Amino acid sequence: MAVKRPPYLLRLKVSNFRSLRAVEVRLAALNVLVGPNGAGKSNLLDVIAFLGDAIRDDLGPALDRRGGFERILFRGTKPGNAISVEVEAAVTKNSNTRTTDNYSLEFSLGKLRTKRNPRNPGLREPLRDRFYLRRSEAFMFKRTAGPGRRIEVKGSEITFNVGGKESTASLREGSLGLATLPKLSPEDGGEQVEALADLFASFRVFDVDVAAARRPATQRLSQRLDNDGTNLASFLAYMADAHPERFRALVRDARRFIPGLADLGFETIGGAGEGTVLNLLEEGLPGSTTLQEASYGSIRALALLALLYDPAPPRLTCIEEIDHGLHPHVLDRLVELLREASERTQFLIATHSPALVNRLRSSELIVCERDEEAASRIPAIEPEVVRRMEAELHGEIGLGELWFTGALGGCPE
């Protein structure tokens, strides 16, 4: 019997990132965030996306994409204060919940005072402030057997500590270690840093663009499902061709999600290059329905099933408003599929649906709310407290109903 591996991302601690003034969240394989608009759900997910952007483009461009440092610093915080992110994960070889992989990033704006006219230093002119980005990083890879490893980055200096033995090296000024250090040799920890970086660089935020998914796919087969579902037809064609058993299981569930559906068929089209049209075959009706003619809910359901049956998903997957367009009668099966798929990809999901929350376990629920100073409280209530409340109610009220009463917090007043 295979040993079930721990979730990839175990803990996330964030300070001063937008509404996340001081948040620490422990994560399971399946995590469903609930709470009113503005409670911080999207900000928590954006921390992960931010790390992925910083790995691909570096820290400065990742900040610029969000309007700059001042725009993401918690409002009311002094500009000199730092934003920090701490990550505890289990992604490297031999890591687990006891011997974890740890990463921390802290960054702030530093101030330089310079002459307006540096070519005339004797000229008495008012000084102006110039700002630069200060950053520091730390990596720690724990081990039960053999020496652990710690790597620290401050400015352009890297410090390595393996089993108490210390050495140093230099890094290009301004480079993010999480993006650069994977190039190190395995002896210096390159593989370990790379495994941690890949966790965030491959983070999938799945948001179906129904209008784009309706159009014929421009490829005959696609091995990777686009984050907006644009290539839904060619991805499902690939699954039918390369993973027929998984595809047949997907079709069985699609019949439950889409009333009247009998099967899915594919048509190859020509042009500049081969493409694919996905057809829905319906019971009792001749011919077929193309995706262009299918309902909004049918396309959402097929895209969601494609994601849940993906044979090679990224390690982290985010879905906002997962139940949008789905009938409540399929929610039981949806949660079953999420739990099955969470053995391949860790889920962070946002919803406003009490009906969906009714199907969850207390360990899968993360309640979010904002305090009187507009700072996010995540979790607003610990899962163990929720579990005790459930036990006291003896199943007389569902978890979603309990949340909707306001007993768990995270409800608009």
Side-chain angles (χ1 to χ4, degrees):
M1 182 177 178
V3 177
K4 188 175 180 180
R5 60 153 287 113
Y8 294 108
L9 184 56
L10 302 171
R11 183 177 61 89
L12 191 61
K13 184 177 180 180
V14 187
S15 299
N16 295 327
F17 187 98
R18 291 184 168 157
S19 68
L20 310 178
R21 182 170 59 182
V23 162
E24 184 171 6
V25 186
R26 294 197 173 273
L27 298 167
L30 171 59
N31 307 273
V32 181
L33 285 71
V34 299
N37 292 330
K41 302 185 297 294
S42 296
N43 290 341
L44 186 68
L45 298 173
D46 191 47
V47 171
I48 302 171
F50 170 76
L51 290 174
D53 290 342
I55 290 165
R56 286 183 290 270
D57 304 322
D58 211 347
L59 189 56
L63 287 170
D64 291 342
R65 186 175 298 180
R66 290 160 177 82
F69 179 86
E70 296 90 342
R71 292 295 300 170
I72 69 167
L73 183 68
F74 178 75
R75 276 187 270 175
T77 304
K78 294 180 180 179
N81 286 12
I83 296 172
S84 66
V85 180
E86 294 181 22
V87 172
E88 187 173 10
V91 290
T92 61
K93 186 179 179 181
N94 301 321
S95 63
N96 54 46
T97 53
R98 290 184 300 115
T99 57
T100 55
D101 308 315
N102 297 266
Y103 171 71
S104 65
L105 167 66
E106 182 175 290
F107 54 97
S108 61
L109 285 184
K111 184 187 292 186
L112 293 172
R113 296 179 67 81
T114 61
K115 297 279 187 183
R116 284 191 182 277
N117 191 346
R119 293 182 180 178
N120 298 287
L123 189 64
R124 303 173 70 87
E125 291 189 6
L127 298 176
R128 63 187 173 93
D129 293 334
R130 294 181 59 194
F131 295 93
Y132 66 98
L133 204 56
R134 291 187 299 215
R135 66 182 93 186
S136 64
E137 298 169 88
F139 303 81
M140 182 178 290
F141 304 102
K142 302 176 184 176
R143 292 292 175 262
T144 52
R149 182 188 304 276
R150 182 177 179 85
I151 305 173
E152 292 185 339
V153 180
K154 290 187 178 180
S156 60
E157 184 174 270
I158 314 170
T159 304
F160 302 91
N161 191 310
V162 181
K165 296 181 179 180
E166 195 169 285
S167 60
T168 61
S170 60
L171 181 71
R172 182 172 59 85
E173 187 69 39
S175 296
L176 188 71
L178 192 60
T180 305
L181 298 188
K183 299 173 184 177
L184 292 171
S185 67
E187 294 77 17
D188 288 329
E191 288 181 356
Q192 293 171 312
V193 177
E194 183 177 23
L196 199 54
D198 285 347
L199 176 65
F200 302 107
S202 64
F203 176 51
R204 168 193 279 171
V205 180
F206 194 67
D207 185 13
V208 182
D209 183 340
V210 172
R214 290 184 190 277
R215 295 192 287 268
T218 56
Q219 294 178 298
R220 192 176 73 83
L221 302 175
S222 298
Q223 294 186 25
R224 183 184 179 278
L225 178 64
D226 289 345
N227 291 347
D228 60 0
T230 302
N231 65 339
L232 176 61
S234 56
F235 179 74
L236 288 176
Y238 159 74
M239 286 188 61
D241 181 70
H243 302 273
E245 290 185 10
R246 186 174 289 275
F247 178 75
R248 285 193 291 271
L250 182 152
V251 172
R252 287 195 295 271
D253 275 312
R255 294 188 188 114
R256 300 173 66 171
F257 280 56
I258 305 172
L261 180 70
D263 204 352
L264 299 175
F266 303 95
E267 179 184 348
T268 301
I269 56 174
E274 284 191 335
T276 302
V277 171
L278 174 61
N279 295 316
L280 283 66
L281 309 178
E282 299 177 83
E283 294 176 355
L285 291 176
S288 60
T289 300
T290 66
L291 278 187
Q292 287 182 308
E293 303 165 311
S295 70
Y296 177 93
S298 295
I299 295 173
R300 286 261 322 165
L302 286 173
L304 185 57
L305 289 170
L307 178 143
L308 293 172
Y309 276 99
D310 189 342
R315 287 174 166 174
L316 289 176
T317 298
C318 163
I319 313 171
E320 295 211 50
E321 301 303 328
I322 188 172
D323 53 292
H324 187 53
L326 300 180
H327 194 281
H329 82 274
V330 303
L331 295 182
D332 285 319
R333 180 55 182 158
L334 174 61
V335 173
E336 289 176 3
L337 288 169
L338 282 167
R339 288 176 181 145
E340 292 171 10
S342 70
E343 296 182 7
R344 301 187 303 278
T345 180
Q346 186 176 7
F347 283 107
L348 293 100
I349 293 166
T351 185
H352 288 107
S353 169
L356 176 64
V357 177
N358 265 341
R359 275 83 176 172
L360 299 177
R361 301 167 185 146
S362 57
S363 59
E364 297 166 338
L365 181 66
I366 299 176
V367 180
C368 310
E369 65 180 16
R370 284 182 115 167
D371 64 19
E372 59 279 0
E373 296 179 348
S376 297
R377 295 181 62 233
I378 307 175
I381 185 170
E382 293 296 332
E384 179 58 28
V385 177
V386 179
R387 190 193 64 77
R388 288 200 301 268
M389 293 174 69
E390 279 188 298
E392 291 170 1
L393 291 167
H394 305 290
E396 295 175 3
I397 183 171
L399 191 58
E401 296 163 313
L402 188 62
W403 163 55
F404 209 60
T405 65
L408 309 181
C411 279
E413 296 182 357

